[in-house]
Amino acid sequence: MKLHIALLFLLIPLTAFAQKFQVIDAETKTPVSFATISFGDGKGTFAGEDGVFDFPKAKYADIDSLHISAIGFKEEGFSTNNIPAIIALQPEASQLSEVIVTAPKRGKYKTKKKKQITHEDIHTSWLPTVESEVAVLFNRYEGKSTRIAKLMLPINAETKYKSKGKGKFATIFRIQFYENDNGLPGKAIAHEKIIFAINQEAEKVFELNIQSKQIFIPEEGIFASLQVLGYADDKGKLIQSKKYREIPTKRGVKKISTAFRPLLPFTNELSNQKTYVRRIFLNNKKWQVFDKTYNENSNLIKSGSRNYGMGATFHVFEE
């Protein structure tokens, strides 16, 4: 009898018990780092560097489907009752943009800068959540061949406000680049992953050196985006945790996205610039300009702080 029971449990699908899943490249069998895991209800999470993510059914009892995606791969969808332990994404057959070059450009260059704009006012700062992505446009310097050597990221670690900024943290961010599609962020550009962490000791401007990534700006410009992935553990690995809170209300349970530190100071000093945002788990990942058409009730928009003052250091090559 005991033997029969043991055999019965062996026949039950592994996914009935499994809480960890891994996303891999179907061709190379290598992990797809930081793949996007969408729950189909406007929320989601990310896989870690090793492509592994947690999905305990008891923890996400109301979720019935998952959508797995990553730049350069075809999206896959699964019922939460039938998730394979290994999720293999098929690479998309597309050519790399000429924006990304495989060999360093040789010759002399001059270093030029686009100044960042920052402040320490938490009331006019963007609250980063895993569902949101913020993008700004960079153009070639005076129309010449231009490489982005550094990104200058304004941040607000709240160290000035003890009641708000108390305690240590380390948050993992991702930088991505997009083509300029008539003034909107367009097709994602495949490039080496740019993942980094910011903690409470960071200065008001976080300098991110990306010279080795060989990011050249095309004639029509390029969008650079900043996206939070979540908090890091003591080893610098992405913590697999719920990225939202569930608040009981008279109309049912309301899901509130977790805001991560540091905050991103927005500014009203860039009247000619447009900052674009999108919710990556909702609205078909559509990019929208950050103004009243996005959210007329936003306190940032009401205050006129509609732009993220990301700066950059350029290497400008003579033609």
Side-chain angles (χ1 to χ4, degrees):
M1 181 67 180
K2 292 182 178 179
L3 178 62
H4 289 166
I5 293 175
L7 289 173
L8 178 61
F9 274 95
L10 287 174
L11 293 174
I12 296 176
L14 178 62
T15 53
F17 297 101
Q19 295 188 1
K20 292 184 180 294
F21 305 87
Q22 186 178 35
V23 186
I24 67 168
D25 184 318
E27 293 186 359
T28 66
K29 309 304 180 185
T30 56
V32 177
S33 300
F34 306 107
T36 299
I37 318 299
S38 174
F39 297 160
D41 67 344
K43 304 299 178 187
T45 188
F46 298 98
E49 185 177 4
D50 55 3
V52 174
F53 68 94
D54 292 349
F55 189 80
K57 188 65 173 149
K59 191 175 183 179
Y60 297 101
D62 62 327
I63 306 301
D64 58 13
S65 63
L66 295 183
H67 300 274
I68 320 298
S69 62
I71 291 177
F73 294 89
K74 296 179 181 178
E75 183 175 303
E76 294 286 350
F78 301 95
S79 163
T80 55
N81 294 321
N82 191 31
I83 310 173
I86 303 295
I87 300 169
L89 297 185
Q90 292 290 340
E92 289 184 332
S94 60
Q95 296 180 344
L96 291 179
S97 169
E98 292 181 357
V99 176
I100 308 303
V101 297
T102 57
K105 190 175 182 67
R106 301 188 183 278
K108 294 182 179 181
Y109 61 80
K110 294 181 180 180
T111 300
K112 301 294 182 179
K113 293 184 178 181
K114 177 184 178 181
K115 186 179 179 181
Q116 69 282 346
I117 297 179
T118 188
H119 58 72
E120 294 183 336
D121 182 3
I122 62 174
H123 301 293
T124 52
S125 294
W126 177 273
L127 304 179
T129 66
V130 296
E131 67 176 9
S132 61
E133 190 172 0
V134 178
V136 298
L137 178 67
F138 287 108
N139 291 306
R140 284 183 171 182
Y141 188 88
E142 296 181 347
K144 297 179 180 179
S145 179
T146 304
R147 176 174 64 196
I148 303 177
K150 290 182 181 180
L151 289 175
M152 315 299 286
L153 307 175
I155 62 169
N156 189 342
E158 303 175 85
T159 54
K160 184 177 178 181
Y161 304 89
K162 299 298 182 182
S163 61
K164 296 288 185 179
K166 188 176 181 180
K168 296 182 178 180
F169 70 88
T171 303
I172 298 178
F173 285 89
R174 168 165 57 192
I175 293 289
Q176 296 185 136
F177 292 94
Y178 299 88
E179 296 177 353
N180 181 5
D181 183 9
N182 294 316
L184 280 168
K187 183 180 178 182
I189 298 170
H191 58 82
E192 185 181 346
K193 288 182 174 63
I194 303 175
I195 307 292
F196 59 98
I198 298 178
N199 61 29
Q200 75 284 348
E201 297 178 355
E203 300 294 334
K204 290 194 300 182
V205 178
F206 186 86
E207 295 188 16
L208 183 64
N209 191 326
I210 61 170
Q211 179 177 333
S212 64
K213 309 301 182 184
Q214 297 297 326
I215 308 295
F216 281 81
I217 302 177
E219 292 183 2
E220 62 275 12
I222 190 173
F223 279 94
S225 80
L226 182 62
Q227 180 185 22
V228 65
L229 300 180
Y231 284 129
D233 62 19
D234 293 339
K235 297 180 180 179
K237 302 295 184 180
L238 182 67
I239 296 175
Q240 291 290 320
S241 62
K242 230 173 185 178
K243 303 300 190 298
Y244 57 87
R245 295 176 292 120
E246 294 176 324
I247 309 298
T249 70
K250 293 181 179 180
R251 297 182 179 181
V253 176
K254 186 175 182 180
K255 296 181 179 180
I256 307 296
S257 297
T258 301
F260 291 83
R261 298 163 60 197
L263 310 184
L264 304 182
F266 271 39
T267 179
N268 59 6
E269 297 181 32
L270 297 170
S271 58
N272 295 326
Q273 177 177 306
K274 289 184 179 179
T275 293
Y276 291 85
V277 297
R278 70 171 177 173
R279 298 179 67 183
I280 63 170
F281 303 129
L282 195 67
N283 198 22
N284 200 29
K285 302 181 182 180
K286 180 182 177 182
W287 286 100
Q288 294 176 269
V289 64
F290 189 62
D291 61 12
K292 289 183 179 180
T293 62
Y294 174 76
N295 182 2
E296 62 181 7
N297 297 317
S298 167
N299 289 330
L300 281 179
I301 293 172
K302 289 179 180 179
S303 70
S305 301
R306 301 195 305 266
N307 286 298
Y308 181 48
M310 187 189 301
T313 297
F314 301 130
H315 288 168
V316 182
F317 293 82
E318 296 298 328
E319 297 296 341

